[in-house]
Structures are given as structure tokens and as C-alpha cells.
Amino acid sequence: MSSPTTVQMHNPEHSGIVRLEDMLQQMAEHKGCGTSSEGGKASCGSSAGPADMSPETWEKVKNHPCYSEEAHHHYARMHVAVAPACNIQCNYCNRKYDCANESRPGVVSEKLTPEQAAKKVIAVASTIPQMTVLGIAGPGDPLANPEKTFKTFELISKTAPDIKLCLSTNGLTLPDHVDTIESFNVDHVTITINMVDPDVGAKIYPWIYFNNKRYKGREAAQILSERQLQGLEMLTSRGILTKINSVMIPGINDEHLLEVNRAVKSRGAFLHNIMPLISAPEHGTVFGLNGQRGPTAQELKALQDNCEEGQMNMMRHCRQCRADAVGLLGEDRSAEFTTESVMAMDVQYDLESRQAYQAVVEQERQAKADAKKAEMATLEGAESDIKILVAVATKGSGRVNEHFGHATEFQIYEASTSGAKFVGHRRVDLYCQGGYGEDEALENSVIKAINDCTAVFVAKIGGCPKAELEAAGIDAVDKYAFEYIDQSVIAYFREYLEKVRDGSVVYGKRGDAQIRQGAFVAA
Amino acid sequence: MAYKIVASQCTGCSACEPECPNEAIFEKSGIFYIKPEKCTECIGFFDEAQCVAVCPVDDTCVIDNSYPRYSA
Ligand code: SF4
Ligand code: SF4
Ligand code: SF4
């Protein structure tokens, strides 16, 4: 954790922060190097690690569903809600109905004691071998409840030493806890930073509670910002991976987030995750009540693209999970693991079968990377400015393997001559939205959510929705059923380019798309 | 006087409990309450009543006038 090579990658002067995708690619290409040994982790000697990353750092990142877009197809995380207290107020949060940040409104997370939480983690990890990461992200601020948070970590690190620990915080008390975080070997920390300018902050945070006093307005924001940046510097200087979450609030911090991006990058943050504001009036948050809107899909993507130009890794696969989410990102199995059922379970932690399972996953990942590479070769030499978006219905594993009618979200890929790039996901409501009949709601919601896409890949689709999608200008494609996503996106794009050339399709800009209001992650 | 918690407003977030210098705050089935005989209104400890300062829900930790004024 504190190895000198790890620190090196956080050195702000080290300009070329590596892209996760490239690293994954490099690892996958690096064959014959124990992909199935050592518990399925592709670990090579020091020289084999990706250029800018020490093997230790790579080990941390590679199987982490929240860090690695690619890994999130295969590995699962869970959150336990042990930390309900908070020491600041955000205008996008209403804790009267549980933290709006982490839970769907009206769904109160089950608050657990550290002992209950530890048992739940073992139960889940024994049932879901992909579960590699445990996060504590609220529903309040885990560091406003430090005893509960660290007690949970302590219990888990004893019983399930292979599980990575992570922590999300608003950062206010972070500098006071860096030593403890380090001593628990916490794998990564997420800080929610929405501003570095107190004038902007005053519009986001009505108050903070600090040094036994309630501070308000600009002063509150200034203290919060200083503490956040100080905490970030302390973490990265000790080689602890630190990700930044920001909530994009149009008209308040949307332009300012570029500056935030620069500020956190220069302090060694490893990944920046910009999330859309969720502000439906019924959530009862200040922003929700005063009509503050969230960004559209295009505004969000434009900002993420802009930040990426500054060479910062951007996280695009954030699901804004609940504080008690369980399972692969985009899937929530928390209902299977209620406190009652977990406490009644007689669980045994089986490290060996977990490792065997994870070894199989490694082979699958490698096959996928090979297939992507082979398909890319067919685009060799093609030149075009055309970029299209493709929506994919998937259940995970990096394959097109979900029926259109069952999809609760679509993953969005941008296809261009430089390949297939994951740019986000769109959740959709299946039923009963705004009083439409179910079928109608399905089409309405889905089309609105993916209206900027040229095609949607599905494992299967009925004639009716297919016709409706086509009427909206979206090509419904089932011929890649159960194939790898990246490979399929590239193949589709190649054919699309050919059709544009022979004139059978006309390339034009598509519309904007709506981001569904719903659960929200972190802080 | 002492402070009291308006139970119907309390979210049970537990933010107040560790801040009280007198350990006057307790929980019963998810709702927190203050033992008035232990509450000193934070006088002698802090400038502000700590439960009020940290509670995220306005007007939830309030003065209970039915109780005699605290005197050190
Ligand atoms: S830090 Fe999290 S829990 Fe606290 S007010 Fe903000 S969003 Fe809510
Ligand atoms: S006013 Fe101070 S002493 Fe009284 S309950 Fe609140 S925190 Fe405790
Ligand atoms: S801080 Fe307020 S809402 Fe939270 S437990 Fe105390 S009284 Fe209840």
C-alpha cells in the first residue's frame, strides 16, 4: 500500500495517468503469465505490470467493479449501511427519508450494527463468489460514524481477508482518520467533491458541523473544501487510491467541475466520477423542491469528455448504487439478504471455491480481450469522423445477453474508428410510469433513455417493440445475441460505415436522451 | 430547561448521540431521546447545543420549557 512505486503513480508531475482500458488490455494480452495461478489473479513479476502502474496498484484496480469498467462486468461489490450519521447538509440530500444520495426515495436502507454487517458480508461472499469489494458509503457519512465504520472493517478483515475494503466520505473529518484508514489497509477511498470555490459551495451546502459548531454559507464551504483537499493529499501521499465523486448540478457547478477536475488530478486522485444530479421534487431535497434540474445525458457526456481531455480517468459506469446494494453493478440482490435471513444463515467462508470461480472469470476476460483485438484488426486503416452510440442489453460478463423486455438498464458504447468505448449506462423504468399502460410505458421510457443511440443490441426482441424502435430511428439488433459486447460493437460499426459509403444509410445527429431519476451514490 | 427531541421528526440518524458531552442522548427503537436530568444545554462545554448543531432535521432538538432551567 505504501510502496514507493504506488506513490509514483500519484505524483502529479507524472503526467501520463494510465487509462484503465489500456492497462486491462495490456494485462490481457500478456499471456502465459499465470492468469490462472494465484487465485486467478493475473500477477506477473514487476516488469510485466502496465507501464505507469506498480503491480500492487494493478492488483487493486483490476478486479474492482467500481474502478474498472471492464471488471464491473465480472466482479461484484456490496455496501453495508452501518453509518447513518452525517455532519454536513447537502442540498441534494434529504435525510428525513434516508439519504437521497444512496437510496431510492421511500426505500429506507436497513441500518446494521457492525456485527450484523460483518455477518452479512460473509453470507453474501459465500453465495456470490464474484463479490470482491465491500464498501461503506453511508447512508450518512461513514467518517461521521467512525467507530461503527472501522469496527465493521476490523471484523471483516479478520474473517474474510480477501475482500477489499472501501469507504466513501464527504471529506469533512477525513484528515483526522487517514492513519486509521491506512492501518486497516483500506483499498480505496472515495471523496465527494463538488466544488473548490466556496462561493459555488455555498449554493450546494447550507451548513456543516465542525469543531462543535455549525458553520453556514461561504465559511462552511471553505472549511469543507480545505478539509477535502487536505484529506485527498494525505491519502495519495501514502499511496492510498483515491477516487473523486462529483455531482453535476447545471447552472451551479457544471462549468466549475473542470476546475475541480484539475484540482483533484493535481493532488493525485486516481479516478473522477461525475454523476448527474438527481432532483425529483418528490425526494423532498432542497434542489428537488426549488426546481433545480439535473443534466441531460448529452450535457453529462460532454463534461466527462472535456475532463478526459485533461487526461484524467473518468468513471462512466457508476450506477449511483444504494448504500446497501449487493451484487454486480446494475443488479441489486439486496432483497435476498435481509438482516433476518442473514442472521438465520449458517455461513462458512470458503476462500478456495471463491478463488476457483475467480480463475474462470480471468479466462473469460482474456478470451474477450482477444476477440476485441481481432475485431479491431478489421477496422485497420479505416478513416472516418463518424461516431455512433450503441445501447446494449446485458446481464454482465461483457456479453449481449439480456432480452430487450427484461432490461432495466442499457449500457452505452461509443463506436468510432478508434474502437468501442463504454460511455455510460441508462436505467429504464419497466412499468407504470406516468399512467401509461405497461407496453406503452416500456417503449416510452426506453426510447427516451436511448434516443441518442443508433442501435440497440439485445439477446432477443419481439416484433412490436422492434417496429417501434425502428420508427424512432433506432436499429434493434439481435444478431449479436450472447456475443462479446466490444467485439459486436466494432463489427456493427464496420458494417455501418460500409452502409454509409454505399448510401443505404444516412449518417446524422441523433437526439438527446433523458437520464432517469433514481438512486444515487456516495458522500 | 433542557433539550428534547421531537420524536416525530427524528430520523434516527444517530448524529447527535456521540456529540452530547453529558451522554444524555439515548435510543429506543430507532428514535433518539434526551434524558432531561442529564442535559445541561451544553452550558460550560460548548457555545451551541451540540444536538441542535449536528441534527440534520431543523426544529427536531428543541428546548423543553416544562423543565426547570439548568444551573451549574
Ligand atoms: S454527505 Fe451524504 S448523507 Fe450527508 S448530507 Fe450529503 S449526501 Fe446526505
Ligand atoms: S443540549 Fe447538549 S447536553 Fe443537552 S442533550 Fe443536547 S447535546 Fe446533550
Ligand atoms: S441528530 Fe436529529 S435526527 Fe439524528 S438521531 Fe439525533 S435527533 Fe434524531
Side-chain angles (χ1 to χ4, degrees):
Chain A
M1 181 144 292
S2 53
S3 95
T5 35
T6 311
V7 175
Q8 184 206 358
M9 86 153 264
H10 295 288
N11 183 342
E13 281 142 44
H14 204 269
S15 60
I17 293 181
V18 269
R19 289 181 45 100
L20 278 172
E21 211 177 305
D22 300 341
M23 296 179 328
L24 288 161
Q25 190 77 36
Q26 281 189 39
M27 283 311 295
E29 280 164 14
H30 193 88
K31 283 202 216 137
C33 175
T35 35
S36 53
S37 68
E38 296 202 28
K41 296 194 160 101
S43 62
C44 312
S46 57
S47 61
D52 277 11
M53 185 166 277
S54 71
E56 302 90 89
T57 308
W58 169 245
E59 270 300 307
K60 285 187 208 166
V61 172
K62 141 178 113 73
N63 291 348
H64 202 301
C66 307
Y67 272 168
S68 155
E69 187 276 309
E70 201 273 342
H72 98 276
H73 291 289
H74 305 282
Y75 288 107
R77 54 77 186 97
M78 73 179 283
H79 292 167
V80 286
V82 293
C86 193
N87 44 18
I88 71 173
Q89 182 64 55
C90 306
N91 279 335
Y92 48 75
C93 176
N94 176 359
R95 275 165 295 149
K96 206 156 169 191
Y97 304 102
D98 200 359
C99 175
N101 239 358
E102 277 105 8
S103 297
R104 295 178 192 98
V107 185
V108 176
S109 331
E110 253 186 325
K111 287 163 198 156
L112 302 174
T113 65
E115 289 74 21
Q116 289 171 325
K119 178 139 193 225
K120 181 172 174 178
V121 171
I122 310 300
V124 172
S126 307
T127 318
I128 308 179
Q130 308 99 306
M131 216 287 283
T132 53
V133 177
L134 169 80
I136 300 187
D141 185 66
L143 297 181
N145 272 135
E147 297 80 17
K148 289 182 188 158
T149 298
F150 292 123
K151 181 77 198 171
T152 308
F153 282 166
E154 188 194 322
L155 294 171
I156 290 163
S157 61
K158 276 192 203 135
T159 34
D162 67 319
I163 288 180
K164 295 166 198 282
L165 305 174
C166 65
L167 174 73
S168 291
T169 174
N170 60 35
L172 181 62
T173 66
L174 181 57
D176 311 333
H177 297 291
V178 172
D179 285 341
T180 323
I181 289 172
E182 188 175 26
S183 72
F184 275 104
N185 251 353
V186 169
D187 178 77
H188 87 271
V189 176
T190 298
I191 316 173
T192 299
I193 301 186
N194 296 318
M195 52 88 206
V196 291
D197 173 351
D199 288 319
V200 175
K203 297 181 194 150
I204 304 173
Y205 306 102
W207 58 263
I208 66 168
Y209 174 80
F210 180 62
N211 280 350
N212 300 104
K213 228 172 102 69
R214 201 189 258 225
Y215 292 85
K216 294 183 180 158
R218 197 178 185 282
E219 195 186 9
Q222 178 149 15
I223 296 169
L224 178 63
S225 176
E226 279 164 10
R227 300 279 291 171
Q228 288 173 330
L229 296 178
Q230 185 194 348
L232 167 62
E233 281 173 10
M234 289 172 74
L235 288 171
T236 57
S237 74
R238 296 178 194 207
I240 300 169
L241 295 184
T242 310
K243 163 173 139 254
I244 306 302
N245 277 356
S246 299
V247 179
M248 178 181 184
I249 312 163
I252 291 186
N253 73 350
D254 46 350
E255 285 163 21
H256 179 60
L257 283 178
L258 272 173
E259 202 178 320
V260 171
N261 181 264
R262 279 191 292 271
V264 299
K265 188 176 72 180
S266 72
R267 286 171 178 81
F270 166 72
L271 193 64
H272 193 186
N273 172 23
I274 299 182
M275 307 176 293
L277 172 70
I278 306 250
S279 64
E282 62 269 26
H283 302 181
T285 64
V286 170
F287 282 147
L289 294 174
N290 70 16
Q292 170 65 50
R293 72 171 179 93
T296 68
Q298 274 181 10
E299 286 171 337
L300 179 65
K301 181 172 181 295
L303 176 60
Q304 289 172 331
D305 288 349
N306 269 338
C307 290
E308 201 160 57
E309 260 164 44
Q311 285 214 313
M312 178 82 181
N313 292 305
M314 296 301 293
M315 172 169 174
R316 313 248 192 177
H317 60 279
C318 176
R319 291 301 196 291
Q320 304 186 314
C321 334
R322 292 167 50 110
D324 54 1
V326 171
L328 290 167
L329 298 195
E331 143 186 295
D332 189 354
R333 295 177 60 176
S334 53
E336 288 169 50
F337 300 99
T338 60
T339 310
E340 213 185 320
S341 67
V342 166
M343 294 311 134
M345 275 181 186
D346 178 26
V347 286
Q348 277 193 338
Y349 197 65
D350 184 354
L351 190 60
E352 228 168 81
S353 69
R354 283 173 56 75
Q355 290 179 339
Y357 177 87
Q358 289 167 19
V360 174
V361 168
E362 284 314 307
Q363 287 170 9
E364 173 79 3
R365 285 173 78 177
Q366 190 161 313
K368 187 171 103 171
D370 289 346
K372 178 179 179 176
K373 202 173 147 212
E375 197 67 46
M376 258 325 272
T378 66
L379 269 181
E380 190 100 33
E383 268 183 48
S384 165
D385 291 338
I386 291 182
K387 281 185 181 170
I388 57 170
L389 295 181
V390 173
V392 181
T394 173
K395 293 198 257 220
S397 303
R399 292 177 189 263
V400 182
N401 55 6
E402 181 71 291
H403 291 204
F404 178 78
H406 300 169
T408 51
E409 69 160 23
F410 291 88
Q411 300 200 352
I412 311 295
Y413 285 76
E414 185 175 72
S416 68
T417 47
S418 44
K421 177 176 153 194
F422 177 84
V423 295
H425 65 93
R426 308 276 168 75
R427 282 181 296 125
V428 293
D429 293 315
L430 284 182
Y431 303 114
C432 304
Q433 269 281 298
Y436 298 107
E438 289 182 3
D439 287 344
E440 216 178 321
L442 179 80
E443 314 312 337
N444 257 312
S445 158
V446 174
I447 289 172
K448 271 189 196 144
I450 62 170
N451 194 30
D452 51 350
C453 297
T454 301
V456 55
F457 292 1
V458 294
K460 203 172 175 183
I461 186 168
C464 257
K466 190 172 161 83
E468 272 187 66
L469 284 163
E470 252 136 52
I474 304 168
D475 190 10
V477 183
D478 57 9
K479 74 170 177 178
Y480 301 115
F482 305 103
E483 303 280 329
Y484 292 118
I485 297 172
D486 297 290
Q487 183 189 16
S488 308
V489 170
I490 298 166
Y492 180 85
F493 182 69
R494 193 185 54 244
E495 287 173 19
Y496 182 87
L497 273 190
E498 280 160 16
K499 285 188 206 153
V500 171
R501 275 196 204 105
D502 72 22
S504 57
V505 302
V506 183
Y507 171 65
K509 281 262 171 281
R510 305 242 348 128
D512 203 344
Q514 265 181 9
I515 294 176
R516 199 197 83 154
Q517 299 276 299
F520 220 72
V521 83
Chain B
M1 284 180 279
Y3 278 80
K4 65 175 177 186
I5 291 172
V6 181
S8 61
Q9 298 246 89
C10 172
T11 66
C13 76
S14 81
C16 55
E17 189 211 306
E19 305 301 338
C20 174
N22 295 309
E23 298 187 11
I25 306 181
F26 297 87
E27 184 200 329
K28 202 174 165 190
S29 54
I31 304 294
F32 286 73
Y33 67 96
I34 294 169
K35 282 197 181 158
E37 62 282 6
K38 289 190 136 195
C39 172
T40 63
E41 302 158 39
C42 288
I43 291 166
F45 291 99
F46 303 107
D47 296 345
E48 298 174 41
Q50 296 299 292
C51 52
V52 179
V54 73
C55 179
V57 193
D58 290 341
D59 305 322
T60 296
C61 301
V62 295
I63 280 278
D64 181 355
N65 284 313
S66 68
Y67 224 75
R69 174 101 225 167
Y70 173 77
S71 53

